[in-house]
Amino acid sequence: MPGHFEPVPGGGAAIALDEVEISILRSLAVQLLELIGPGDEPVEGEDPLAALFAEGPSEPPADPALARLFPDAYIDPAAEKPDEELEAASSEFRRFTENDLRTHKRDDAVAVVRGLDTLTVDAEGGAVLKLTAEDCVRWLRSLNDLRLTIGTRLEVSDEDEGAGLYRLPDSDPRKPMVMAYLWLGVLQETLVESLMP
C-alpha cells in the first residue's frame, strides 16, 4: 500500500501516508480552498431557496487557475473569432452555476482536509488513510482540481502533458511543484483503479 491507493473489502480505498505526505496533501487542499474562496454564509432568517437562485459572476475569473477550474461553457477557445451568441449563453450559464460549483469544490477539498486530520501518525511516522466509496469520489474530484491548478501554474498543455517537466534539473524552482503534480497523478490513477470492479 505504500505510495498508492488500494481497494478495501466492502468498497472504498486505503493508502499508507507518512507525515510529510500528509502535510503536503493537507497544505495543497488548504491552498485550493484559499484559491476557490470562502462561501457565502447563510443569513439567519433568510429564505434557503433564495440562496439556490442567487446569481453568481457572469465573467470568467482573471486567474488562469480559477479559469481552468471554472471554464466557459459553449465557447471554443480555438475559434478565431468569438461567437457573440455563445459568449452570451456562456455568461448566463456561469451566472447560474458557478456559485454552486464553487461550493462543491470547497466541500470536496474540506473532505480531504478533514480526512487527513483524522489520522494519527504511528511510531514509524506513518498512518493509513481509509476512505469510504463516497469519500473516494470526493477525493478524486479534489485531486483532479489540485492537478488542474498546478498544471495551469506550470503551463502544462493538453498537447504535451508536461513532457518537458520530466527533465527539469533539481535546481529549477518549479521542481517541487512538478513533483507534487506527478505524485497527485499517481494518487488519482491508483484511486480510480482501486474503485474498478
Side-chain angles (χ1 to χ4, degrees):
M1 187 182 330
H4 60 273
F5 281 98
E6 292 184 3
V8 295
I15 186 171
L17 298 168
D18 64 31
E19 282 184 277
V20 173
E21 292 168 329
I22 293 167
S23 175
I24 291 170
L25 275 173
R26 189 180 192 292
S27 174
L28 290 172
V30 168
Q31 289 176 57
L32 180 62
L33 283 166
E34 291 170 355
L35 178 67
I36 292 169
D40 293 330
E41 294 296 320
V43 177
E44 191 173 324
E46 183 180 35
D47 179 8
L49 289 177
L52 279 175
F53 297 102
E55 293 183 14
S58 59
E59 296 296 318
D63 183 321
L66 281 174
R68 185 72 172 104
L69 291 176
F70 305 104
D72 279 318
Y74 313 122
I75 296 178
D76 179 7
E80 289 181 26
K81 182 181 172 200
D83 182 313
E84 288 182 23
E85 284 183 33
L86 291 180
E87 284 185 329
S90 181
S91 176
E92 190 76 357
F93 183 81
R94 178 179 298 282
R95 196 162 59 98
F96 290 108
T97 61
E98 187 172 313
N99 285 345
D100 192 43
L101 186 55
R102 279 182 186 265
T103 298
H104 288 295
K105 289 182 181 298
R106 252 190 313 276
D107 290 347
D108 292 339
V110 166
V112 169
V113 171
R114 287 187 178 151
L116 294 168
D117 286 349
T118 65
L119 297 178
T120 303
V121 177
D122 61 24
E124 284 103 43
V128 175
L129 174 69
K130 293 181 182 174
L131 301 175
T132 65
E134 183 181 332
D135 292 335
C136 288
V137 173
R138 298 189 103 156
W139 270 71
L140 275 173
R141 289 190 300 238
S142 202
L143 289 171
N144 187 60
D145 288 344
L146 286 168
R147 287 195 79 233
L148 286 173
T149 301
I150 294 172
T152 301
R153 296 285 189 242
L154 292 170
E155 298 179 351
V156 174
S157 69
D158 291 337
E159 292 80 37
D160 71 2
E161 278 296 314
L165 299 175
Y166 295 103
R167 296 182 291 281
L168 283 180
D170 290 343
S171 60
D172 192 301
R174 297 173 295 165
K175 187 74 172 201
M177 213 166 24
V178 169
M179 298 306 292
Y181 177 77
L182 297 174
W183 178 52
L184 290 169
V186 170
L187 294 180
Q188 190 176 19
E189 183 178 343
T190 59
L191 185 51
V192 167
E193 289 171 357
S194 71
L195 296 175
M196 291 186 166

